[in-house]
Amino acid sequence: MAGGTARSAAGFGIFGLAVGYFLCYIPYSGLVKALSSGEVPGVDEPVGGLVLLPAAALGQLVAMPVFLTAVGWWHYAHRREIGGRRLILPARTMLWAGFWMALIIGTTTLNFTFVGASILLMMLLMRGGVLILSPVVDLARRRRVHGYSWAALILSLTAVGVAVWDVDGYVLGVGGVLSVSVYLLGYVGRFTIMSKAAKTGDPDVDRRYFVDEHVAAPVFQLALCAVPAALGLGAWGRELRSGFTDFLLTPAVVPAFLIGVLYESLFVFGTWIYLDRREYTWAVPANRCASLFAGVVSAFALTALTGIPRPGNGQLVALAFLVAAVAVLSWPAVVRPTPRRGAHRLLVFVCGGNTSRSPMAAAIAVKELATRREEFEVASAGLTVRSPGAPLVPEAVTVLTELDVPVPVGHASRALTAELCLSSEAIYCMTQAQRHAIIALSPTTADRTYVLDPDLDVPDPSGAPLDTYRTTAHLLGQAVHTRLAELPPA
């Protein structure tokens, strides 16, 4: 049975991912700011952001295959046959995903190098912008935005507002504004592609997205540095060229390379947070809160180590709002919905239109459960109900009658709801695709959502001859019998 995307694929729950992201962001942001401020021991002068970018890109390009090899995920990479050999080459859509991610990687590092702009200020601009984008992307993709996600978003934005109000005395020129704008554009492109190609709850689909984006992004990042460096386009082109030439022979190349390695860890933790099947309005605050909190810690650490002025008291107030946002996000997972137990234990059978497979399975279950001492309630629903209130199809009625299974009286098709999922003890669906859809609707019930027959999907008999319905009923009967035998006693 497939598990949750982030948990099963990366080995962490969403909060483990957020903690990992937080712990990696502290040294990453601190090292970038220290190197660009001339505060790294052994480095005599500040290093410009464009100068250190090539070494950082090389660092991530080296770290990427090391990670994919360590976790054994190379087999998820898309391959094409070129010159008689099958080579790793992401599909066109994933090349675009890698391009957008490369913009995000490069500008994230660059944003921490602007003189006169603190780590906290730049993080607030970046994180606040993405927080605003997240519900827009969700609504555009017609994803349901849960109430707790909206609450966490509001708390996060409040935290950003409080912190911005407290930040004064900074200088942010045209370069900084342009860099932040490109960063946000990268997220618009990335979220758009991720919504279409991944974020399904299917570990294989999401891992394939992760690997293809992961392979493409560092290559594009290096190319985005190398092309203007080779062409020598203005002062910024010359700085990038310096990063590829004389800078590689200085002691500063080691911390610059390490910046890329640290970003690799951020890429891993951050991407799996975003790939969580829940809406972006849920995932983005989890990611942004972790990084903002890390920024505050990093800023105080730099103050202790270098004498750079510490953040004002307003940032501490902002932290309180961030903690509240994390608590709101944590609530659905920490306080897990309690399935209906006691006098009546609810079992829910799910198919597409709720006019044949799921009501047939529910009727078979009712007959079999009548012999058990415990009291069960059985319900059925559909994921793609086009005509709510539709009756059981005649073929299903005929087959149930032949099997001496009581036909549900007054059956009316209805759509599956999150509330029905939350009140259930177990949810049984007909296909793997339906399971993924149910988990997207109700993520916290993933551990009690099952494909009725774990070995095969039960096909939709709609429009088929009566014999097909008989075959479907036979499959349902066997699967229902097996599943009910697995139910624990009350």
Side-chain angles (χ1 to χ4, degrees), residues 351-402:
C351 66
N354 191 219
T355 57
S356 58
R357 288 173 294 176
S358 60
M360 288 169 67
I364 293 170
V366 168
K367 179 180 179 180
E368 184 161 337
L369 288 169
T371 62
R372 297 180 61 148
R373 292 184 178 180
E374 298 140 301
E375 294 187 28
F376 287 87
E377 182 179 347
V378 179
S380 68
L383 286 165
T384 55
V385 176
R386 296 179 181 178
S387 302
L392 202 62
V393 297
E395 293 86 351
V397 173
T398 299
V399 170
L400 290 177
T401 302
E402 291 175 352

Side-chain angles (χ1 to χ4, degrees), residues 12 75 116 158 239 272 375 428 471 489:
F12 297 88
H75 64 282
T158 302
E239 288 186 55
W272 280 112
E375 294 187 28
Y428 302 109
T471 301

Side-chain angles (χ1 to χ4, degrees), residues 27 89-90 106 114 182-183 321 329 486:
L89 182 61
F114 289 104
V182 172
Y183 170 89
F321 284 100
L329 292 172
E486 297 172 348

Side-chain angles (χ1 to χ4, degrees), residues 85 180 227 259 361:
R85 301 183 62 184
V180 172
V227 171
I259 286 169

Side-chain angles (χ1 to χ4, degrees), residues 137 209 295:
V137 174
Y209 175 93

